[in-house]
Amino acid sequence: LTGFSLIYLIGPMFSSFFFPASLRDVVIGSSKKPGRHTVCLSNHGNDCFANSNLQALASVRSLYTYLETAITKFETTVDNNQEILQEKLKSGQITLTRRTSASEKKTLQAFILELNEPIMNHKIISPWKLLKVLEYIYKSRISRNQHDAHELLHLILETLDNEHELAKKNLDVLLKPDDDDNADLTSMPAFSFEGSTVDQIRCSRCGYIPPSISSTFLVLSLMVPQRRSVSLEDFLTESYGGGSSEYIQDYGCVKCRLLYIRDTPATAQQIGGIPALNFPQDVYNELLKYVDDPAALPHDLEETYLAGLKHVTSGITKSTQFNKLPPALTIHLSRSIYSGSNASRNSCRVILSEYIELNQINDHQDSKPTVVRYKLVAMIRHKGTHYAGHYECFKRKNIRWWGKIYQQKEKEEEQQQQQQQQPSEETLVEGISKLETEELEKCWRISDNKTWECSLKDILREESGAYLLFYERV
């Protein structure tokens, strides 16, 4: 045998004989160590849009906490009220739908747990465990063609939000309002991704500020400006901090139109092309009651008599602020630039921050806004053009937190089955608590079924590719 062949044959035997396994791991640099691997997802064609989303969602701890609490509360309430449930099912007061029977909450909870399983070796699972539930709920197939990760994320969160509202409705019907024993179970935990903004308008002519208009969001979309670079935190403050406002012309201010009616006689004739009021005297008198309080004007009066005064317009300033910031803030950086029938990708550098601070206004206008601090936990990067490309997920490891979750799950299984856990699993979970802080602070870059260790700095460098950002409240 040649020298090379001899080394090839006896090399493994030699290293095993002279080096015990633990020492060999140190010398050779084996990856048999907690935190060196994470569960990956298979890609059967164009699944990267789904894989990146599921990996990112699996890193949002408040989502798992919400799912755990919501499922426990709902199931406990149903189990404790089976007789009432059967009665109300028969009477039609409670309806079980496809959405109820194919709960995305339970499927996603199990899926998140599986993606965060502490493992020693490479492991791959299929994303279609969850995607098939979505197909069942909506009675449609998810195309295997190229997809937008933002659209799927919104669909997943919207489905969870709909399940949340349905569960709240069913619990309200199931439980009596005055049932003190079940009072804690009637209130479902708030959905961790739901936030809201409020639009504040001020008329530049009369100064009237109408009641604020609130709108909810699950994913906050930001149109990336066509600049060379922009700071994410500055951009958010600029858009939702109330510091800057948008000027809008030709707005139909209710108070301006009431003031016009007050200053114009009810029987005035058309002058210089301006239409006459020709209001009945009783209607004219009724409208004048609301000059000092336009917000109290009944909608039917406004639609019938004020909507016709289209020539009475004014300019307004409009600002948008947060009035409810969610535990988990997801930001979509919209990079599409449309020009006629063509579209291109905006490569503006969005300067990311590990922490961001946002202002949340309070119910009392005179009180100072609440400062809410967020920490970056995951990011989805898109590489390619507007029409095609590849999605990858960057996320924090959070090994110790998930290790405690698995320890608790193992204890619960032991109590239920009265069986001892396997020594290898016990050693793995215990080994997580001994990891150094430096190891715990590392992150993962995940591309379908491949993973690389990376640092937070690597994530923050992705200024031109950042597409979806996942922040958690701290």
Side-chain angles (χ1 to χ4, degrees), residues 92-161:
Q93 291 177 272
I94 292 179
T95 304
L96 298 181
T97 64
R98 291 173 73 91
R99 191 181 300 282
T100 313
S101 59
S103 171
E104 190 195 17
K105 285 200 294 290
K106 295 193 74 170
T107 308
L108 184 58
Q109 183 203 23
F111 200 81
I112 287 175
L113 202 59
E114 191 171 4
L115 280 176
N116 286 288
E117 177 189 355
I119 56 174
M120 287 289 200
N121 298 301
H122 196 55
K123 181 178 178 180
I124 302 172
I125 61 175
S126 171
W128 288 94
K129 291 181 180 180
L130 178 67
L131 299 181
K132 285 187 181 298
V133 174
L134 290 174
E135 288 185 334
Y136 178 80
I137 290 173
Y138 290 101
K139 300 181 184 178
S140 62
R141 295 288 299 260
I142 296 175
S143 171
R144 291 346 187 229
N145 296 323
Q146 182 78 20
H147 282 285
D148 183 46
H150 166 241
E151 292 177 359
L152 178 66
L153 175 63
H154 202 279
L155 178 67
I156 291 173
L157 297 183
E158 188 177 47
T159 307
L160 286 173
D161 191 42

Side-chain angles (χ1 to χ4, degrees), residues 194-390:
E194 186 177 275
S196 61
T197 59
V198 62
D199 291 336
Q200 294 183 324
I201 293 171
R202 177 188 291 271
C203 178
S204 58
R205 176 186 289 178
C206 68
Y208 174 59
I209 302 175
S212 301
I213 303 170
S214 181
S215 56
T216 60
F217 66 86
L218 299 174
V219 180
L220 188 68
S221 284
L222 296 175
M223 185 65 69
V224 176
Q226 295 184 45
R227 306 182 205 163
R228 186 172 182 178
S229 65
V230 64
S231 162
L232 175 66
E233 189 163 14
D234 291 345
F235 189 28
L236 282 166
T237 303
E238 204 176 285
S239 303
Y240 296 97
S244 61
S245 56
E246 177 187 5
Y247 185 77
I248 301 173
Q249 294 181 329
D250 300 327
Y251 179 79
C253 173
V254 174
K255 184 164 185 176
C256 283
R257 290 180 175 181
L258 287 171
L259 289 171
Y260 174 81
I261 292 171
R262 184 195 66 184
D263 298 336
T264 305
T267 57
Q269 302 298 312
Q270 180 171 338
I271 301 174
I274 298 176
L277 293 179
N278 290 327
F279 291 166
Q281 190 64 45
D282 57 336
V283 171
Y284 181 81
N285 294 336
E286 181 68 18
L287 290 171
L288 293 183
K289 294 178 182 178
Y290 300 100
V291 170
D292 295 327
D293 187 13
L297 179 69
H299 182 70
D300 58 339
L301 282 179
E302 181 180 350
E303 286 296 309
T304 305
Y305 298 103
L306 268 64
L309 301 176
K310 295 181 179 179
H311 61 285
V312 182
T313 61
S314 58
I316 60 164
T317 55
K318 174 188 170 186
S319 63
T320 305
Q321 293 177 277
F322 294 110
N323 67 333
K324 178 190 171 186
L325 283 163
L329 176 66
T330 305
I331 301 171
H332 166 227
L333 299 176
S334 178
R335 294 182 174 273
S336 298
I337 301 174
Y338 295 98
S339 177
S341 58
N342 297 320
S344 59
R345 189 174 180 277
N346 185 348
S347 59
C348 170
R349 291 173 46 242
V350 179
I351 302 169
L352 306 177
S353 303
E354 179 182 8
Y355 293 95
I356 57 174
E357 291 185 348
L358 301 173
N359 288 334
Q360 174 180 283
I361 62 172
N362 301 308
D363 294 335
H364 303 289
Q365 292 185 354
D366 297 334
S367 61
K368 292 183 178 179
T370 302
V371 178
V372 180
R373 198 163 193 248
Y374 284 96
K375 181 179 181 179
L376 182 66
V377 295
M379 182 267 287
I380 291 177
R381 177 185 71 177
H382 180 260
K383 292 183 72 176
T385 67
H386 173 81
Y387 298 100
H390 181 63

